[in-house]
Amino acid sequence: AWSLTYGDVLGVLQSDETAFELEEVLELNLMATDVAGNSSSTITGSLKVDRIAPTVSSIIYGANDGNLALGESVNFMVALSEAVNVTGSPSIALANGGTASYSSGSGTSALTFTYTPAANQNTTDLATAAANALIGTIRDLAGNPVTAGGFNAANPTGTLAVDTVSPTVTGIGGTTSALTNAPISFNVTLNEALSADLGTGNFTATN
């Protein structure tokens, strides 16, 4: 068996070349000769040279309502300039201290990372870390590592707030009535706005 390596093909550069292009296809004619001088028939083939690192084209949020609570999840959809292979468990560090873990897309140019907030990872707009956001290595099909800087300081279009703190009651006031079976109104004050009407049946009164 005989293997062809990058160094072996330096001798097949065209006469007007001093180095390979960043990306090209070499047409090869291969013939082997043993120590006694016997030569094989010529075998033709091709070798693709790819020295271009994949880059990040865009990072966007997956489906969301603009707010992420404790236990909810959101996807980060990463579009790359070419197909990549994912090995191991790469992840993206986020500016709020969280981490989005790789979930799918190996072999394609579209990767998905999933983030589920933990306690106290609050932010008004979720973005990736300013530096060293890509944790791990992602390579294209030729083995070139992705340009990691494309993952830094990415703030996808739209606002996605993370709030992991439950609202708390800061005060309860009301009106009293001397009439039997008369309604009593309560005013409940909370430390933050609620997203929906509480409706009826959500409070229990005890003596």
Side-chain angles (χ1 to χ4, degrees):
W2 181 59
S3 62
L4 186 68
T5 64
Y6 181 79
D8 295 326
V9 296
L10 288 178
V12 300
L13 288 170
Q14 298 181 30
S15 59
D16 60 344
E17 290 184 317
T18 58
F20 289 123
E21 300 293 335
L22 291 178
E23 190 171 31
E24 64 177 308
V25 177
L26 301 176
E27 299 298 331
L28 303 176
N29 295 310
L30 306 177
M31 182 178 65
T33 303
D34 65 18
V35 293
N38 302 301
S39 298
S40 70
S41 58
T42 300
I43 301 174
T44 61
S46 63
L47 176 68
K48 182 178 180 181
V49 177
D50 178 4
R51 296 188 292 157
I52 300 177
T55 58
V56 175
S57 302
S58 66
I59 299 179
I60 63 174
Y61 300 128
N64 68 88
D65 62 1
N67 294 281
L68 201 61
L70 191 67
E72 293 184 321
S73 296
V74 69
N75 290 331
F76 282 82
M77 322 294 287
V78 181
L80 299 159
S81 59
E82 59 179 302
V84 295
N85 280 329
V86 176
T87 56
S89 302
S91 57
I92 302 174
L94 304 178
N96 68 337
T99 301
S101 301
Y102 166 75
S103 57
S104 65
S106 183
T108 75
S109 61
L111 303 182
T112 300
F113 293 77
T114 302
Y115 167 63
T116 303
N120 300 317
Q121 291 180 352
N122 306 305
T123 181
T124 56
D125 194 10
L126 187 62
T128 67
N132 303 315
L134 176 62
I135 303 169
T137 302
I138 298 170
R139 299 180 183 275
D140 67 12
L141 305 186
N144 300 302
V146 69
T147 303
F151 288 85
N152 296 340
N155 190 348
T157 301
T159 300
L160 179 55
V162 179
D163 181 0
T164 65
V165 180
S166 298
T168 57
V169 175
T170 58
I172 300 178
T175 59
T176 61
S177 173
L179 300 176
T180 303
N181 296 324
I184 300 175
S185 298
F186 287 94
N187 297 316
V188 180
T189 305
L190 299 106
N191 66 331
E192 61 179 314
L194 300 182
S195 61
D197 188 350
L198 292 177
T200 60
N202 293 297
F203 294 93
T204 300
T206 59
N207 294 327

